[in-house]
Amino acid sequence: MELVNRTEVSEFFLKGFSGYPALEHLLFPLCSAMYLVTLLGNTAIVAVGVLDVHLHTPMYFFLGNLSILDICYTSTFVPLMLVHLLSAQKTISFLGCAMQMCLSLSTGSTECLLLAIMAYDRYLAICRPLRYPVLMTHRLCLLLAGAAWVLCFFKSVTETVIAMRLPFCGHRVVNHFICEILAVLKLACGDASVNEVFLWVGAILLLPVPLAFICLSYMLILATILRVPSTAGRHKAFSTCSAHLAVVLLFYGTVIFMYMKPRSKEACISDEVSTVLYAVVTPMLNPVIYSLRNKEVKEAARKVWGRRWTSSPVYFFLSNLSLMDICGTSSFAPLMLVNFLETQSTISFPDCALQMFLTLALGSTECPILAVMACDRHVAICQPLRYSELMSRQTCVWMAALSWGTGFANSPLQSTLTWSLPFCGHNVINHFFCEILAVLKLACGDISLNALLTMVATTVVTLAPLLLICLSYVFILAAILRVPSAAGWPKGFSTCSAHLTVVVVFYGTISFKYLKPKAKDPNLAKIIALFYGVVTPSLNPIIYSLRNTEVKAAVIALLRGDLLSREMSCFSCCSLTLSGRTG
């Protein structure tokens, strides 16, 4: 009987804030903005920590782990939560719920241990400064971080398997906006005493024990700081720990309220609000706290930003292309992967409109970006002496802004005209995302204006940039063939080969999709869309890294810089040890 009840549960309904529609409409823009800040802020901290050799220290190694944790943790539930805030039907499959529960438990638990490890690192840096390089070695840092990740992963897998093996023979409405383990256990109709024991043991090991360790570390740090004779020294020591201490108070305050308070049979709105605080707000504040309170991070960010603008314009446009590929695939790939695991693949009307808008805008932006990159290569090869003058920083910014503006001007016009049509027939989109041509097939009104606008937009956004690219490469080819030495020809061709490969791959698939004769089999259109929507963005970084000696040289320089920083830390370790002995 228990097995039958388990197999009957194929999906759960996430109630979320359904009883507060006004709150849902308020939370969507707020959570979207906070998630964006979380991704950008934590990615920036990881990038700065990797690029600046002065930050290759244990403190910033653990801070990089914390940033990666925050990105992974919020990404386990925020995208689906944002979809559900706009959807009337908030469902998640049984397998999807189990995966979300396991990943959120694992990353959340790892953060508890990582904050304790960071407190221990600050204790050694302040209380044992001469022996700090000897005690906090690179191997120990990897061991501590790796142990935290692995132990918490196995703990979360165990708790998830035990929880999801329970019989769910009652209703399937989870009174939460994510598959939070306490909310899911309230739906079980079997004996959950084993689960409660596991949860209490895990909560004690990951909340009071690390928190007590953090408090002990800061008591010893405080005692050491108060013994410093100079006021300036005490202020510097306090500022070293203030950022970490602020993050600890934010994180542990909300988590302890959630998991250590007395159990209530009925879920209340305070549970969900506290979850938003520690699961969405705290990861957003972490990079803000660490960047605003840390002079080294701000100085390293200024160096990296300055180095970015002194680099070649081709890499500025390449970063725009990479950012656009990330946004483009993220606009449909997460929901597509979720739908692959579910028996019923549904999307709400607002979500479909938003997905169509983003895919149209970002797809329309890539064509002008590729044309701008072709112009950049034309100026570099045909006008090398005036390259720095013609492709100035201001010109590059304006060209990139014009490309983005073109895409985001085309998208709202086509989307608005599409959604103004009547849809009175069936609502099955024969595609894996809300692609405009597939949606237009469901309309029961006159789509002649839409077809005309699509042809005009295709001509302006797709064919005109392609013509500009071809014209640029004609001039480039003529300039290369005028080079007297045959040895200069491969160098000239290699400068453009990566960009030319990306153009051929992208325009080849998109032209075949939108300009080919209509096929009776719709699966061919889906395969082509999957190719240019997923495969092509994945090939772009491979093409530019494998075909570009400068990119490979930069990666090698970064690796060598990392090795050099380790050697310098070992050297400083030896010098500090010797100075301690002579003292």
Side-chain angles (χ1 to χ4, degrees):
M1 181 65 184
E2 183 178 332
L3 182 60
V4 173
N5 287 331
R6 272 202 310 270
T7 54
E8 286 179 352
V9 178
S10 60
E11 63 181 10
F12 291 101
F13 297 91
L14 298 173
K15 184 177 180 181
F17 299 97
S18 300
Y20 308 89
L23 182 60
E24 285 189 327
H25 295 148
L26 177 64
L27 282 176
F28 179 79
L30 287 177
C31 291
S32 300
M34 288 189 289
Y35 182 56
L36 184 62
V37 172
T38 300
L39 293 180
L40 295 178
N42 286 292
T43 302
I45 284 184
V46 173
V48 168
V50 171
L51 294 175
D52 196 313
V53 295
H54 299 95
L55 298 185
H56 291 181
T57 61
M59 175 182 174
Y60 295 104
F61 169 75
F62 294 128
L63 179 57
N65 275 263
L66 182 64
S67 297
I68 294 173
L69 262 177
D70 286 338
I71 293 172
C72 297
Y73 181 48
T74 53
S75 298
T76 58
F77 67 90
V78 172
L80 187 61
M81 181 188 75
L82 293 176
V83 171
H84 286 167
L85 287 174
L86 298 178
S87 303
Q89 187 179 8
K90 311 173 193 298
T91 59
I92 185 171
S93 65
F94 186 88
L95 180 60
C97 185
M99 289 178 62
Q100 189 182 73
M101 182 189 296
C102 178
L103 292 174
S104 59
L105 274 173
S106 174
T107 50
S109 303
T110 306
E111 186 156 349
C112 297
L113 293 183
L114 192 61
L115 289 173
I117 293 170
M118 294 174 74
Y120 176 66
D121 171 71
R122 292 300 83 205
Y123 159 74
L124 290 180
I126 294 175
C127 301
R128 299 287 187 270
L130 296 180
R131 298 194 62 201
Y132 177 69
V134 180
L135 297 174
M136 191 57 70
T137 60
H138 180 70
R139 183 178 180 182
L140 180 61
C141 293
L142 291 175
L143 183 63
L144 291 173
W149 283 86
V150 172
L151 290 176
C152 292
F153 177 75
F154 280 110
K155 167 196 166 290
S156 63
V157 168
T158 304
E159 290 181 352
T160 302
V161 170
I162 295 176
M164 302 309 281
R165 283 178 61 85
L166 289 171
F168 297 95
C169 46
H171 65 89
R172 296 171 294 166
V173 180
V174 180
N175 204 343
H176 215 288
F177 57 85
I178 62 172
C179 279
E180 201 269 337
I181 189 167
L182 298 179
V184 173
L185 284 177
K186 291 177 181 178
L187 306 182
C189 54
D191 184 15
S193 57
V194 177
N195 303 81
E196 293 179 359
V197 170
F198 265 92
L199 285 176
W200 268 102
V201 172
I204 292 172
L205 291 178
L206 292 174
L207 293 176
V209 173
L211 185 59
F213 189 77
I214 292 171
C215 293
L216 179 61
S217 298
Y218 275 102
M219 286 175 59
L220 297 174
I221 289 171
L222 181 62
T224 303
I225 291 174
L226 293 177
R227 288 198 298 267
V228 176
S230 64
T231 306
R234 289 198 296 268
H235 177 74
K236 184 177 180 180
F238 276 121
S239 65
T240 305
C241 306
S242 59
H244 178 255
L245 197 55
V247 171
V248 167
L249 292 176
L250 279 171
F251 181 78
Y252 271 97
T254 51
V255 172
I256 287 177
F257 174 78
M258 183 70 186
Y259 287 96
M260 300 299 290
K261 65 180 176 63
R263 296 280 187 269
S264 59
K265 293 184 179 180
E266 296 294 331
C268 55
I269 192 68
S270 63
D271 293 341
E272 298 178 48
V273 173
S274 62
T275 304
V276 171
L277 285 176
Y278 81 80
V280 181
V281 179
T282 304
M284 177 199 68
L285 292 177
N286 287 355
V288 177
I289 292 170
Y290 274 105
S291 59
L292 293 179
R293 297 289 299 168
N294 197 306
K295 293 180 180 179
E296 290 179 336
V297 172
K298 290 188 284 187
E299 184 64 28
R302 277 193 289 267
K303 289 180 181 178
V304 171
W305 179 256
R307 193 163 61 231
R308 172 180 176 268
W309 278 114
T310 56
S311 62
S312 174
V314 67
Y315 297 109
F316 169 70
F317 295 126
L318 180 58
S319 65
N320 275 265
L321 181 65
S322 300
L323 177 62
M324 191 190 52
D325 284 340
I326 293 172
C327 297
T329 53
S330 299
S331 63
F332 68 90
L335 186 60
M336 179 188 73
L337 295 175
V338 171
N339 288 338
F340 282 164
L341 299 176
E342 295 186 348
T343 55
Q344 187 178 7
S345 305
T346 59
I347 185 171
S348 68
F349 190 90
D351 294 338
C352 189
L354 180 62
Q355 191 180 70
M356 180 190 293
F357 172 81
L358 291 175
T359 51
L360 271 174
L362 296 163
S364 303
T365 305
E366 184 155 356
C367 300
I369 283 285
L370 291 174
V372 165
M373 295 175 75
C375 292
D376 172 73
R377 293 298 82 203
H378 165 257
V379 175
I381 293 175
C382 300
Q383 302 286 333
L385 298 180
R386 299 187 61 199
Y387 179 68
S388 58
E389 176 191 349
L390 296 175
M391 298 301 295
S392 62
R393 170 181 170 178
Q394 186 176 4
T395 304
C396 292
V397 171
W398 274 109
M399 293 173 79
L402 183 63
S403 301
W404 286 89
T406 302
F408 278 86
N410 168 53
S411 179
L413 187 60
Q414 291 204 61
S415 298
T416 304
L417 198 60
T418 299
W419 294 113
S420 62
L421 292 169
F423 295 92
C424 48
H426 66 87
N427 60 346
V428 179
I429 300 175
N430 203 343
H431 217 289
F432 57 85
F433 72 101
C434 286
E435 199 265 342
I436 185 170
L437 297 182
V439 173
L440 283 175
K441 292 178 181 178
L442 306 183
C444 52
D446 183 16
I447 62 169
S448 57
L449 184 59
N450 300 80
L452 178 63
L453 182 61
T454 302
M455 285 300 297
V456 172
T458 302
T459 303
V460 173
V461 178
T462 305
L463 298 182
L466 181 59
L467 180 62
L468 184 61
I469 291 171
C470 294
L471 188 62
S472 298
Y473 275 104
V474 167
F475 286 114
I476 288 171
L477 181 61
I480 291 174
L481 293 178
R482 285 199 300 267
V483 175
S485 64
W489 294 356
K491 185 177 180 180
F493 282 117
S494 66
T495 306
C496 308
S497 59
H499 176 256
L500 196 57
T501 306
V502 171
V503 168
V504 170
V505 171
F506 177 77
Y507 269 98
T509 52
I510 200 171
S511 300
F512 183 74
K513 176 173 175 58
Y514 288 102
L515 300 178
K516 67 175 177 61
K518 296 292 183 290
K520 293 183 178 180
D521 187 9
N523 291 322
L524 179 61
K526 298 179 193 176
I527 294 172
I528 298 169
L530 189 65
F531 188 86
Y532 84 79
V534 178
V535 178
T536 304
S538 68
L539 291 177
N540 289 352
I542 298 174
I543 293 169
Y544 271 102
S545 60
L546 294 179
R547 297 287 300 167
N548 195 306
T549 55
E550 291 181 347
V551 173
K552 290 186 284 188
V555 173
I556 294 171
L558 282 175
L559 295 175
R560 286 179 177 174
D562 187 30
L563 293 172
L564 181 62
S565 66
R566 292 179 194 172
E567 292 175 2
M568 291 299 295
S569 64
C570 291
F571 175 77
S572 62
C573 161
C574 297
S575 62
L576 285 171
T577 306
L578 290 173
S579 63
R581 289 177 180 174
T582 55

